[in-house]
Amino acid sequence: MPSLHAAVLNAFKQQGWACTEVPGMTVVESQFEAYHSKIALHLQSYDEPQILSIVANVSLTVPHTHKSRTAELLMRVNRELNLGSFEIDWDRGAVMFRQSQVFANHQFEPSIIISLVHNALAEVDRITPYIGILCKTVPSLLPMLSIPDLLLREDLLPPVPVETE
């Protein structure tokens, strides 16, 4: 078993997260229940270059009529991100968040893997209600919808988690 893949499995085990390995591949898949939706997560390990790729899928599918405005929303969100980015599969209307990590010298810190998972989940959970509102907008009203104003709506953000001792 490649060592990066083993590190991913160990990080999931350490956190008590359920996951499934994809047979014949260094891929781990999981489902997480977040504040706004259920999030499907796909982690692929590339052992030789020591790269971990994480893709978190938004649970909504964007209708054809709403793709260009969704692309604008994602572009505006991506401009503010420091880690990872959103993208849309234009043919399927699927929105995903993708991030990667390059590790050095086979130092696969579980805390880094766990943080990457948390980041992917948080970003998808944060963007889901904005995409939901956009997708519920009647197509004829889409030109009048201000994406910058929509993104200012803090009432759509999930609550900040409370730390417990």
Side-chain angles (χ1 to χ4, degrees):
M1 178 182 302
S3 56
L4 178 53
H5 184 64
V8 170
L9 291 171
N10 287 334
F12 268 71
K13 184 178 179 180
Q14 179 182 331
Q15 292 298 300
W17 295 334
C19 66
T20 305
E21 290 184 77
V22 175
M25 301 180 74
T26 54
V27 172
V28 171
E29 293 183 332
S30 189
Q31 297 275 330
F32 287 86
E33 195 71 40
Y35 185 77
H36 289 294
S37 67
K38 185 175 261 188
I39 300 170
L41 205 62
H42 176 99
L43 294 86
Q44 185 157 9
S45 306
Y46 301 92
D47 204 47
E48 190 173 318
Q50 302 177 68
I51 297 172
L52 177 62
S53 174
I54 298 175
V55 177
N57 296 292
V58 173
S59 60
L60 304 170
T61 301
V62 177
H64 175 72
T65 53
H66 292 65
K67 287 180 186 174
S68 63
R69 295 309 308 270
T70 301
E72 178 188 349
L73 181 136
L74 298 178
M75 178 273 311
R76 291 178 182 280
V77 169
N78 283 341
R79 190 171 52 196
E80 304 299 322
L81 293 176
N82 292 315
L83 180 62
S85 62
F86 282 96
E87 54 191 69
I88 185 169
D89 179 321
W90 200 260
D91 297 328
R92 295 183 305 125
V95 175
M96 65 213 77
F97 177 79
R98 184 184 309 271
Q99 64 186 348
S100 298
Q101 174 70 38
V102 179
F103 293 89
N105 303 319
H106 297 280
Q107 300 296 312
F108 310 126
E109 288 292 322
S111 62
I112 294 173
I113 296 167
I114 292 164
S115 292
L116 289 168
V117 169
H118 280 292
N119 182 63
L121 296 173
E123 291 298 348
V124 169
D125 199 37
R126 180 177 67 93
I127 198 72
T128 296
Y130 295 98
I131 294 172
I133 286 177
L134 183 69
C135 288
K136 288 178 186 173
T137 301
V138 177
S140 62
L141 297 178
L142 283 172
M144 292 168 267
L145 178 68
S146 169
I147 301 294
D149 288 345
L150 175 61
L151 289 171
L152 291 174
R153 289 197 45 194
E154 293 185 8
D155 62 307
L156 299 175
L157 295 174
V160 177
V162 177
E163 293 283 329
T164 57
E165 291 183 38

